[in-house]
Amino acid sequence: MATQTAAYSAPPTDTHGAVQTAINACNAGDTALIDVAAGNWEFGCTTGAGNPAYSVALKSGSAGSPIAHTINGTIVADAAQFTGVQDALIGCDKKSYVTVNGSGLVNGAAMPQTEEHRHCMGMRGSDNITIYGSSGLRFNNSGGDGIEIGPTALDLDGLRTPCTNIVIEDLSCSGNRRNGISVTSANGLRIRRCTTIRQIGTSPYSGIDLEPDENTAGYTAPNQHKSVLIDCRIEDCIAYGNLGGDFYVQLSEMSSSHADVDVVFSGCKSLYDSTGGDPWGYVFANTPSVTVGNFDGSSVGGTVSFVNCMASKLLYPGIYVAMELDSNVAVDFTGCILEGTAVSFDKPIHLVLTKSASGPGIRFKNVVVKENVDRAPYAVTSPDATATNVTGNIRQVVRRWPVKTQRDSLLPNLKIGRFGRLQFSNSARSRRSAQRGEK
């Protein structure tokens, strides 16, 4: 197992060729090293070499012997060379058994900020890719996303092959024009302990965005090549300061011809931006966190779940769902806490509901809304019918003492329990004692 160290030259020398040479020299199990240097590593991009075109392309290893790409320096873009609308710094298309790690910074600040696909890293149709940020690796300030994870396209194989077995851990993505991390097609995805901050350039301005895009124009059998969101887990991530949704799921371009979705956010937090950036960031979104519609007259099935997530000190709602209630997707919120949300706008939970209530709907279980004001915990727009498939329970903790159960005529199967803070604390203590068998 050898280490191939890229030869450094100071700017304005274009060093992407030297880095690519080091990567190409690697065999399975080797490491390509972009090491600490006195200055930046400046990357140009050969526009026209592909669509998208990348400054450098990562190299595949083999099972048990991945090729490690270690970034310990600072990579910057040469703005004059990133003229293509999909030019990106690092490419990982149809690769397998690849590791990316290090303490460095991939900085796309010099990229033209006029489009949405000039990413720090683009990944399409790859398998067994692991990105470790525990040593300080950051993907920041691109003209698109920190990382985009999606399917192959006509320029690769025309099959829309999803990314599979992707792991991203402890990575920071900040100041990117579109999203911190975008996912458009994945089967077997783990995003753990990542931080996404202040994506404010172009819609949807999200921290982590799951949004399949069904652009099948030109495919010979488009119905056989559908985007997927299967076995996707986003765990213990933190987001703040994003102009749109901190955690956003958009399913409006998926139909019953797609595989059922299986998405779980667990332990994720949407927080007030205490660093002085824009204090936006609905925990599950500014534009709706979960948007489910009927595409081609039908909707995809499956489940989108938020488990033990938290929204704290936000100007806007902590949960926002726009949904056609005859959709086949279930949207679950379990054990989530909204504390001090919707301070300046709306209610802590906002639901925009249309169509007849014939699908699995939205299910709340042990969701807690902590408030400093006495008000309804949710706002609901339901012009078509009573939303009988919005079910479960929400516990609202307010400053005042009175206890009562609320029911809304639009949401007859959703129970709202209201508690004073001391009362809620005692109630929770009693429940824990009962679970332990204490008197």
Side-chain angles (χ1 to χ4, degrees):
M1 297 183 181
T3 298
Q4 306 293 336
T5 302
Y8 176 75
S9 298
T13 303
D14 183 350
T15 53
H16 85 274
V19 171
Q20 191 66 64
T21 296
I23 292 172
N24 293 344
C26 288
N27 297 310
D30 287 355
T31 296
L33 180 61
I34 306 169
D35 212 347
V36 177
N40 296 330
W41 296 75
E42 185 168 289
F43 279 15
C45 189
T46 308
T47 299
N51 188 23
Y54 299 118
S55 296
V56 298
L58 306 185
K59 186 176 180 180
S60 295
S62 59
S65 298
I67 291 181
H69 302 73
T70 300
I71 303 171
N72 288 336
T74 297
I75 295 172
V76 299
D78 178 354
Q81 295 194 44
F82 284 80
T83 56
V85 297
Q86 296 193 66
D87 292 351
L89 284 164
I90 299 172
C92 187
D93 288 352
K94 295 192 71 175
K95 306 300 180 183
S96 58
Y97 301 105
V98 167
T99 297
V100 180
N101 56 22
S103 59
L105 169 64
V106 181
N107 188 350
M111 290 176 166
Q113 301 288 314
T114 55
E115 300 292 338
E116 58 180 294
H117 293 102
R118 295 186 177 106
H119 310 310
C120 286
M121 181 176 181
M123 184 191 308
R124 299 185 296 164
S126 291
D127 175 60
N128 278 285
I129 310 298
T130 303
I131 301 174
Y132 294 115
S134 57
S135 295
L137 185 64
R138 292 148 291 157
F139 286 7
N140 293 354
N141 304 317
S142 74
D145 303 329
I147 302 176
E148 183 183 44
I149 300 167
T152 56
L154 288 173
D155 63 305
L156 294 174
D157 58 15
L159 298 178
R160 292 186 65 83
T161 303
C163 285
T164 53
N165 304 307
I166 308 300
V167 176
I168 304 174
E169 295 183 345
D170 303 299
L171 187 71
S172 177
C173 296
S174 175
N176 296 288
R177 175 169 165 77
R178 187 173 70 168
N179 299 314
I181 299 174
S182 290
V183 182
T184 58
S185 191
N187 184 347
L189 171 70
R190 299 292 182 270
I191 302 176
R192 301 186 180 111
R193 301 179 303 277
C194 291
T195 302
T196 55
I197 308 168
R198 291 194 296 281
Q199 275 62 230
I200 58 175
T202 192
S203 179
Y205 321 93
S206 294
I208 298 177
D209 172 33
L210 279 64
E211 188 174 354
D213 177 8
E214 277 311 289
N215 180 10
T216 56
Y219 293 86
T220 56
N223 289 333
Q224 298 177 21
H225 311 306
K226 296 289 187 177
S227 296
V228 298
L229 292 176
I230 299 173
D231 188 23
C232 295
R233 303 291 183 265
I234 297 89
E235 303 167 356
D236 301 316
C237 293
I238 295 174
Y240 57 87
N242 300 293
L243 187 58
D246 281 345
F247 305 106
Y248 180 39
V249 182
Q250 164 66 272
L251 304 179
S252 293
E253 292 197 27
M254 302 186 84
S255 68
S256 59
S257 63
H258 291 75
D260 286 359
V261 300
D262 173 18
V263 175
V264 179
F265 292 82
S266 61
C268 294
K269 295 180 180 180
S270 177
L271 306 175
Y272 177 79
D273 187 358
S274 61
T275 65
D278 294 313
W280 303 50
Y282 305 32
V283 64
F284 317 121
N286 172 355
T287 46
S289 64
V290 183
T291 299
V292 182
N294 289 336
F295 183 67
D296 289 339
S298 63
S299 92
V300 67
T303 305
V304 176
S305 299
F306 298 90
V307 180
N308 298 330
C309 293
M310 171 180 280
S312 179
K313 299 180 180 178
L314 306 182
L315 295 181
Y316 292 87
I319 293 175
Y320 196 129
V321 181
M323 187 173 189
E324 295 184 4
L325 291 174
D326 59 352
S327 299
N328 297 317
V329 174
V331 179
D332 293 344
F333 296 92
T334 302
C336 296
I337 297 175
L338 313 182
E339 183 169 12
T341 61
V343 172
S344 298
F345 175 79
D346 212 342
K347 300 294 192 295
I349 298 170
H350 193 118
L351 308 178
V352 179
L353 310 173
T354 57
K355 301 295 181 65
S356 61
S358 57
I362 305 170
R363 304 179 296 204
F364 293 91
K365 183 177 181 181
N366 298 330
V367 171
V368 176
V369 178
K370 296 183 178 182
E371 295 267 65
N372 285 323
V373 295
D374 291 332
R375 59 176 175 175
Y378 62 81
V380 57
T381 303
S382 183
D384 293 335
T386 301
T388 55
N389 56 350
V390 178
T391 60
N393 65 88
I394 296 171
R395 295 178 177 271
Q396 185 183 21
V397 185
V398 296
R399 287 186 300 177
R400 296 182 182 178
W401 187 262
V403 182
K404 60 182 179 180
T405 297
Q406 295 182 332
R407 290 185 185 274
D408 190 297
S409 60
L410 290 174
L411 308 177
N413 296 321
L414 180 64
K415 181 179 179 181
I416 308 296
R418 302 188 75 219
F419 297 81
R421 288 190 182 275
L422 178 61
Q423 191 174 25
F424 180 79
S425 177
N426 289 338
S427 175
R429 189 178 299 114
S430 297
R431 287 195 305 274
R432 290 194 298 271
S433 296
Q435 290 169 356
R436 292 194 296 263
E438 297 176 4
K439 301 277 185 164

